[in-house]
Amino acid sequence: MAIRPEPLKTLNQYQILNTIRIAGSISRIEIAQIVGHSRATVTNITAKMIASGLIYEKEVEGTAARGRNRILLAINPDAAYVVGVKVSAFRIGCVVTDILANVKSSVVMPVRTSERPAEFVADLIEEAIRHCVLEAGLSLKQVSGIGIGVPGLVDSREGVSYWSPLYRRGDITLRDLIQDRFGISTYVDNDSNTVALSQLWRGQGMGINNFAVVTVEDGLGMGVVIDGELYRGSNGFAGELGHFVAVPGGEPCRCGKKGCYEAYVSNFGILNAAKRLCREGTWQCADMEALAYEEVLEAARAGNQDLVEVFNRAGSYLGHALAGLIQIFNPSRIIVTGNGIRAGELMFGPMRAMLEESVWPEMHSKTEVVVHEWQDMDWSLGAACLVLQELYKSPLDRCVAAEKMQEAIKSD
Ligand SMILES: [Zn+2]
């Protein structure tokens, strides 16, 4: 069972909570000005939040008129705890955070999930969660929700992963497998969406209403935030930049189609192009089967022109993809991240050149393209933010009472 929101009441609550979160601490009058409600409404809603222990009053010395102390409102960080999990081909990352997305504990398990059955992956996730919750000094009863980020095509509303380069698809969804084990509300989303959420909550997207996060890793992913909310589209499939066919009939992609951006820009695409050079005898690599991305990058850095050309092509296609994004969404920022940014200028030089060539300068100048240093924890932190996003919208009694929510799931 998902946390059931009560539309209007909880929308007001969400706006107010989010305003307090972004500000850190803020007066009732300022909240009313920002969210556009009357002071009476804000006072009424915040009184309930104080009574439930979700927020608290904080007295700040002599800053109000005539030197009187001001009363500000702040979120009680320990009002709730959530878990975020990121599943990738060769590791599972897990974090436990408080209600402000402060990390209480984290763990990375180096395990292969690729090509394993969903039940097996669920066993590993269960282990990671139990370990991480214990590390945080908490019990499972204190956990209000679990978020999971996985690569591939995910219907976040139904919790169904239609296509993933990782686990084999079974009859049971990964979300249900985890939810049934713990009796805790569980959410699954595409991992690039969860990274966009981590940037919205704690990173380069904080306070920015329109931005996109493009992740370059084994795959090429994207999460889009429009008007301060993650944009998922009608079924949660939005943001599939990586599998946009840029070259009809082009390079084969892992998803089964041909000519997707991912087939050129991702680490996987680069590795494939390098392997072809090996096969053709253009480049002498030591062991083609065991060829790693790092080896390709090193050889390109050492000046192998054929490999430089592979990165050049990847960067050009990335620039081409970003040009499309700028023209369709007019975002104020595009954050490029993921372990593929190690390619540096080999990739970002051609990316910038293509952007300049493909977008009118007036439009291009309105979007800042930043390359953001990759942090492993961003992924699992984002999955935790997926839960927090829902929690902030859920009725107050559920928001601060993990146990109550777990009982409701059991009786469902
Ligand atoms: Zn594809």
Side-chain angles (χ1 to χ4, degrees):
M1 189 202 72
I3 301 166
R4 290 188 193 119
E6 293 169 20
L8 199 66
K9 220 166 85 187
T10 52
L11 179 67
N12 292 342
Q13 175 195 303
Y14 173 71
Q15 286 176 328
I16 291 172
L17 259 187
N18 212 28
T19 305
I20 302 174
R21 178 184 75 81
I22 291 167
S25 56
I26 187 169
S27 70
R28 290 176 178 84
I29 303 169
E30 287 166 312
I31 296 172
Q33 283 164 349
I34 293 171
V35 300
H37 293 317
S38 69
R39 275 179 67 181
T41 305
V42 171
T43 302
N44 184 19
I45 294 175
T46 53
K48 287 178 190 150
M49 290 180 182
I50 292 171
S52 70
L54 184 55
I55 62 171
Y56 63 97
E57 287 185 323
K58 199 171 156 183
E59 206 167 333
V60 181
E61 270 180 37
T63 46
R66 295 185 297 279
R68 278 186 300 146
N69 289 354
R70 286 177 83 206
I71 305 292
L72 304 182
L73 299 176
I75 294 176
N76 169 17
D78 295 312
Y81 303 101
V82 300
V83 171
V85 178
K86 152 74 174 172
V87 185
S88 42
F90 296 99
R91 61 179 180 272
I92 288 176
C94 182
V95 293
V96 171
T97 80
D98 63 20
I99 200 168
L100 288 170
N102 296 313
V103 175
K104 309 287 287 180
S105 67
S106 69
V107 67
V108 175
M109 288 173 23
V111 284
R112 182 171 71 83
T113 63
S114 186
E115 293 299 309
R116 301 275 173 97
E119 284 80 3
F120 178 82
V121 177
D123 284 341
L124 297 174
I125 294 175
E126 185 184 341
E127 281 303 307
I129 291 174
R130 287 188 186 280
H131 174 82
C132 220
V133 169
L134 205 65
E135 280 280 291
L138 299 170
S139 81
L140 284 163
K141 285 189 172 167
Q142 292 169 279
V143 175
S144 293
I146 298 168
I148 304 172
V150 289
L153 198 55
V154 182
D155 184 334
S156 56
R157 288 194 187 97
E158 299 299 324
V160 179
S161 168
Y162 285 102
W163 171 82
S164 172
L166 302 183
Y167 55 87
R168 288 197 293 270
R169 205 182 141 185
D171 290 336
I172 310 166
T173 65
L174 189 61
R175 180 189 65 181
D176 294 345
L177 283 174
I178 298 300
Q179 190 160 279
D180 290 348
R181 280 160 199 238
F182 291 108
I184 299 173
S185 290
T186 302
Y187 305 85
V188 178
D189 208 334
N190 173 276
D191 54 1
S192 298
N193 278 348
T194 65
V195 171
L197 280 176
S198 81
Q199 296 301 310
L200 178 67
W201 276 65
R202 294 194 67 92
Q204 298 267 333
M206 229 178 143
I208 298 182
N209 276 336
N210 296 289
F211 70 91
V213 176
V214 174
T215 54
V216 187
E217 296 238 323
D218 276 338
L220 176 70
M222 179 173 76
V224 187
V225 170
I226 295 175
D227 292 335
E229 293 273 345
L230 187 66
Y231 180 73
R232 291 195 172 92
S234 331
N235 299 87
F237 298 159
E240 279 300 334
L241 182 74
H243 301 287
F244 184 96
V245 174
V247 187
E251 295 286 339
C253 181
R254 291 190 299 176
C255 72
K257 297 194 290 181
K258 281 182 175 175
C260 301
Y261 277 123
E262 179 167 306
Y264 298 90
V265 181
S266 68
N267 301 353
F268 165 82
I270 286 169
L271 196 56
N272 262 359
K275 281 182 177 172
R276 178 178 302 157
L277 291 174
C278 275
R279 265 197 307 275
E280 290 168 352
T282 316
W283 176 48
Q284 313 296 326
C285 63
D287 179 0
M288 197 177 82
E289 288 311 311
L291 186 62
Y293 173 85
E294 288 71 22
E295 205 179 326
V296 180
L297 182 57
E298 255 171 51
R301 279 193 185 133
N304 181 307
Q305 276 313 301
D306 293 306
L307 294 177
V308 168
E309 190 45 46
V310 168
F311 282 97
N312 193 4
R313 187 177 72 163
S316 294
Y317 275 119
L318 179 60
H320 191 255
L322 300 194
L325 278 187
I326 291 173
Q327 293 183 163
I328 294 169
F329 291 112
N330 178 216
S332 38
R333 185 175 285 176
I334 295 177
I335 303 153
V336 184
T337 188
N339 62 21
I341 67 168
R342 284 172 296 173
E345 277 310 290
L346 278 171
M347 195 153 167
F348 297 120
M351 176 196 80
R352 280 192 294 271
M354 181 55 86
L355 268 172
E356 273 164 34
E357 194 184 310
S358 314
V359 188
W360 297 303
E362 297 81 359
M363 204 167 181
H364 187 9
S365 65
K366 299 289 185 289
T367 302
E368 186 191 8
V369 178
V370 295
V371 178
H372 174 60
E373 193 68 32
W374 178 75
Q375 279 180 340
D376 213 1
M377 209 195 282
D378 281 352
W379 297 96
S380 30
L381 181 62
C385 295
L386 180 67
V387 185
L388 290 175
Q389 190 99 337
E390 295 300 325
L391 204 58
Y392 275 44
K393 291 176 186 168
S394 69
L396 269 186
D397 56 334
R398 293 254 173 114
C399 203
V400 289
E403 248 178 288
K404 214 168 165 181
M405 278 165 57
Q406 293 176 18
E407 278 159 23
I409 287 175
K410 280 182 208 144
S411 63
D412 240 25

